[in-house]
Amino acid sequence: MMERKWYALLVETESYAPGPQYLNWTTELRPELDERHISYALAPERGTRLAAQAYVDQHPHLVKLYLGSNRHHLIRGQGGRCWYCGRTLNTTRSGLEDSAELEHQTPRSRDLPESYASSNLVVSCRTCNNPAGDGKGDRTLEEYRAHLLQRRHPGKAHLFFYGEWLRFVTLAASGQLGRSALSRIAFNSFLHPQRALAFTPELLWAALKGEKQ
């Protein structure tokens, strides 16, 4: 099993955003730093996540973003919102509740083939990604869904995340799905009385009315 430690990353790479990163130096972080010719001084090792976050917060003038990163590409595809709760993402600061973080729906800690697939990546807010409280942490997508159902919606049969609704909205926006079909999906699935939403219903209504989300 790979040994991981906390690093205070100050420069965004293709796969990792600035902020505290729990990574293996040799196999995960160093190759991307070398590829972008980034100094190792910008990724000092820290003992804990809090210490790594504190180091990043103490050096805001050194933080540099990379608009070609996976994170920014996915953020644009998600309309600037968290894949899980739909909140607007903060793309410039790390460690805040609304900070945009790359999220592996099948965690890398499971070390499964799907863990490393590009289709496994989404962007979430820090609150939803955080292992503390009701965050996803090292749960799989379905484990997280079951956790939230039990905690917030007992008795409901299913919980929908914002990213699942966004797929249909994107199809409608591209003309591959008609407006009437989108409405049927909304009322028959997402708004079914035995199902619940992890995102605010206003995002659903805005899409049905053709409003910008």
Side-chain angles (χ1 to χ4, degrees):
M1 189 173 182
M2 291 191 298
E3 181 184 0
R4 290 189 171 95
K5 297 179 181 179
W6 284 107
Y7 291 92
L9 184 62
L10 296 176
V11 178
E12 186 165 20
T13 68
E14 182 177 348
S15 301
Y16 306 111
Q21 295 287 355
Y22 188 58
L23 299 169
N24 177 278
W25 173 265
T26 304
T27 62
E28 295 178 297
L29 188 53
R30 180 174 177 172
E32 294 216 25
L33 294 179
D34 285 341
E35 185 177 352
R36 292 202 57 217
H37 306 290
I38 294 171
S39 167
Y40 298 155
L42 296 176
E45 180 186 326
R46 296 290 142 189
T48 64
R49 175 183 167 77
L50 288 177
Q53 182 65 59
Y55 187 90
V56 174
D57 291 342
Q58 290 161 11
H59 300 82
H61 59 291
L62 295 178
V63 173
K64 292 182 174 59
L65 302 179
Y66 174 40
L67 297 181
S69 70
N70 285 333
R71 185 174 71 115
H72 284 271
H73 174 73
L74 289 168
I75 288 169
R76 289 191 291 272
Q78 292 175 200
R81 295 186 179 276
C82 172
W83 196 93
Y84 296 103
C85 72
R87 80 192 301 176
T88 300
L89 294 167
N90 182 335
T91 61
T92 61
R93 290 285 307 279
S94 67
L96 303 179
E97 290 184 354
D98 61 352
S99 292
E101 299 188 353
L102 269 177
E103 206 286 299
H104 293 74
Q105 295 195 313
T106 298
R108 286 173 296 177
S109 60
R110 304 296 174 96
D111 203 23
L112 297 170
E114 58 266 32
S115 301
Y116 303 97
S118 58
S119 58
N120 188 47
L121 285 172
V122 297
V123 178
S124 75
C125 65
R126 176 63 194 155
T127 298
C128 288
N129 197 27
N130 196 335
D134 276 342
K136 180 175 176 288
D138 280 339
R139 299 180 178 95
T140 66
L141 176 63
E142 294 310 319
E143 288 169 352
Y144 186 40
R145 194 192 309 275
H147 171 78
L148 292 182
L149 269 173
Q150 182 180 26
R151 292 269 292 176
R152 301 181 185 177
H153 308 282
K156 297 287 187 180
H158 189 75
L159 176 72
F160 286 108
F161 294 112
Y162 175 69
E164 293 168 323
W165 171 242
L166 183 62
R167 289 172 186 162
F168 294 106
V169 175
T170 302
L171 287 173
S174 66
Q176 299 178 65
L177 185 70
R179 229 2 109 169
S180 60
L182 183 65
S183 295
R184 285 196 301 274
I185 291 168
F187 286 101
N188 295 337
S189 295
F190 287 82
L191 295 174
H192 189 281
Q194 286 301 310
R195 294 163 186 174
L197 303 178
F199 57 98
T200 173
E202 281 74 19
L203 290 173
L204 189 147
W205 295 120
L208 293 180
K209 294 175 183 176
E211 299 172 2
K212 185 178 179 181
Q213 300 186 72

